[in-house]
């Protein structure tokens, strides 16, 4: 039991995950969410737990963090589903990364070599072998990598479960409550300013996703270098004859957008995603949706007949080096948990366990040490 009053800014998977772990340990936690919890990037995401597919092979520390977080998932799901009594549809079917043309196969073979170098659980397949695993794949698929250990969750169910678990463990939730800024006295943080006045606390966790830079009172040199990266998505309704079983990703050397198709237990097929530097603009575009539909149709021609259920766009919180910003800052008692970019769902368990441990013990673990803000601060 720790005797600290903690305020968390932002109710996405990151803020909720940390809040849940702290409340469970007996801390006094208040979470401020300016809208409804979990309707930012955490709602928009596809829920893939795929460390390598989302990181560049040269980003070894980020890859290691992702692999560690993936290994925590079985324990995380068990604990969360027990506390929340909500199933989050954790699936362990793996991912097929497919190519359709000789250029794509070339790109796939580079990826495969890097994966093998890192000793990842991957298999090279011919088109025919890939279709044995996933019969909905196009006859044009010439080669594939089977990433056996990639998993997925339904991220929207995870948001709902985290909210329930957080409240069940005694966390206080203030929805529709925006934090305007932090209050600092003599270099030490003393509270936050919110719509209904100043709230005193011992620790603030900044988990406001791509809006983290908008919090007032943080000196310029200490601001997390986070920007929004737009992703357009759509959901199709799977029907008899077009029942995709496994996550499919395309490698398309000639096109601007590679796509992924993620089947859900409820029959939806999530298709994503564009990656656009458009500031806070979340409008859907003809070009974006066209590229997604074309990519999905090329990999799985049967999608041509499927009804479109929904379209949306979300904003990934991207940092300058694609990795999250985690841990202590030069402002005493201000902790960052932001910038999870394309991997926030994957990285939720490690972030929640390690940041809550940091707050309870005042010690930064080896796992998050390379991801502190200090890497961006010039000495
Ligand atoms: P968010 O979920 O954005 O939450 C931040 C919250 O802070 C918001 O609810 C916001 O309202 C609140 N807030 C902001 N300012 C304030 C304030 N001043 N006061 C109070 N509250 C405030 N990751 C994966 O691992 N796998 C995937 O398959 C995947 N797919 C993705 C697909 C798309 C299209 C997108 C956009 C992202 C995807 N991601 C994926 C990335 C993942 O969604 C994010 O990294 C993750 O959700 C970030 O969580 P968060 O809690 O930091 O941010
Ligand atoms: N991780 C999938 C995406 O960011 O689109």
């Amino acid at each position: 039991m720790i005797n600290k009053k903690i305020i968390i800014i932002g109710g996405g998977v990151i803020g909720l995950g940390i809040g849940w772990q702290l409340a469970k340990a007996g801390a006094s936690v208040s979470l401020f969410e300016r809208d409804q919890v979990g309707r930012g990037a955490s709602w928009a995401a596809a829920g893939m737990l795929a460390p390598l597919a989302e990181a560049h092979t040269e980003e070894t520390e980020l890859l290691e963090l992702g692999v560690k977080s993936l290994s925590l998932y079985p324990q995380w799901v068990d604990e969360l589903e027990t506390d929340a009594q909500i199933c989050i549809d954790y699936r362990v079917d793996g991912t097929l990364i497919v190519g359709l043309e000789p250029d794509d196969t070339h790109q796939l073979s580079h990826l495969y070599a890097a994966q093998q170098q890192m000793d990842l659980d991957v298999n090279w397949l011919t088109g025919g072998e890939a279709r044995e695993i996933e019969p909905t794949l196009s006859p044009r698929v010439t080669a594939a990598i089977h990433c056996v250990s990639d998993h997925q969750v339904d991220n929207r169910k995870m948001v709902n479960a985290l909210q329930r678990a957080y409240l069940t463990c005694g966390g206080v939730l203030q929805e529709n409550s925006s934090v305007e800024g932090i209050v600092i006295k003599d270099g030490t943080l003393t509270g936050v300013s919110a719509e209904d006045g100043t709230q005193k606390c011992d620790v603030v966790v900044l988990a406001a996703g791509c809006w983290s830079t908008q919090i007032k009172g943080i000196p310029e040199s200490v601001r997390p270098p986070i920007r929004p990266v737009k992703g357009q998505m759509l959901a199709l309704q799977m029907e008899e004859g077009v029942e995709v079983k496994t996550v499919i990703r395309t490698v398309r050397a000639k096109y601007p957008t590679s796509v992924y198709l993620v089947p859900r237990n409820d029959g939806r097929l999530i298709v994503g995603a564009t990656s656009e530097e458009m500031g806070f603009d979340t409008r859907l575009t003809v070009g974006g949706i066209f590229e997604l539909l074309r990519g999905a149709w090329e990999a799985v021609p049967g999608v041509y007949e499927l009804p479109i259920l929904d379209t949306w766009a979300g904003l990934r919180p991207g940092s300058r080096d694609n990795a999250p910003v985690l841990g202590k800052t030069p402002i005493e008692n201000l902790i960052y948990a932001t910038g999870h970019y394309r991997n926030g769902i994957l990285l939720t368990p490690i972030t929640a366990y390690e940041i809550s441990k940091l707050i309870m013990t005042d010690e930064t673990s080896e796992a998050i040490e390379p991801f502190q803000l200090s890497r961006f601060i010039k000495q």
Side-chain angles (χ1 to χ4, degrees), residues 48 54 260 273 316 342:
M48 293 176 292
E54 293 294 351
Y260 48 75
R316 306 174 182 92
R342 305 183 70 96

Side-chain angles (χ1 to χ4, degrees), residues 282-343:
T282 52
R283 286 175 299 181
L284 296 162
T285 63
V286 173
I289 297 298
F290 172 74
E291 290 299 336
L292 296 182
L293 289 173
R294 175 173 59 187
W297 169 72
E298 280 185 330
V300 178
V303 300
Y304 201 81
E305 304 296 336
L306 300 184
I308 297 176
L309 292 178
D310 198 4
T311 49
W312 65 93
L315 300 172
R316 306 174 182 92
S319 79
R320 279 213 294 275
D321 60 5
N322 300 337
V325 186
L326 303 174
K328 292 188 178 185
T329 67
I331 310 288
E332 189 77 17
N333 300 329
L334 175 62
I335 305 286
Y336 283 170
T338 184
H340 291 74
Y341 194 35
R342 305 183 70 96
N343 287 301

Side-chain angles (χ1 to χ4, degrees), residues 10 12 14 33-34 41-42 45-48 179 341-346:
I14 299 300
E33 165 53 54
R34 66 171 182 193
S42 302
M48 293 176 292
V179 167
Y341 194 35
R342 305 183 70 96
N343 287 301
I345 307 299
L346 168 68

Side-chain angles (χ1 to χ4, degrees), residues 9-15 32-49 54 177-180 207-212 214-215 229-233 260 273-274 312-317 337-347:
I9 309 174
V13 285
I14 299 300
F32 284 76
E33 165 53 54
R34 66 171 182 193
D35 299 318
Q36 200 188 336
V37 288
R39 297 306 190 269
S42 302
W43 201 254
M48 293 176 292
L49 310 175
E54 293 294 351
S177 285
S178 189
V179 167
E180 281 153 19
C210 69
W211 300 275
S212 295
Q214 296 177 348
I215 304 298
V229 181
K230 174 174 163 182
Q232 301 186 44
M233 300 270 274
Y260 48 75
T274 63
W312 65 93
L315 300 172
R316 306 174 182 92
T338 184
H340 291 74
Y341 194 35
R342 305 183 70 96
N343 287 301
I345 307 299
L346 168 68
L347 296 176

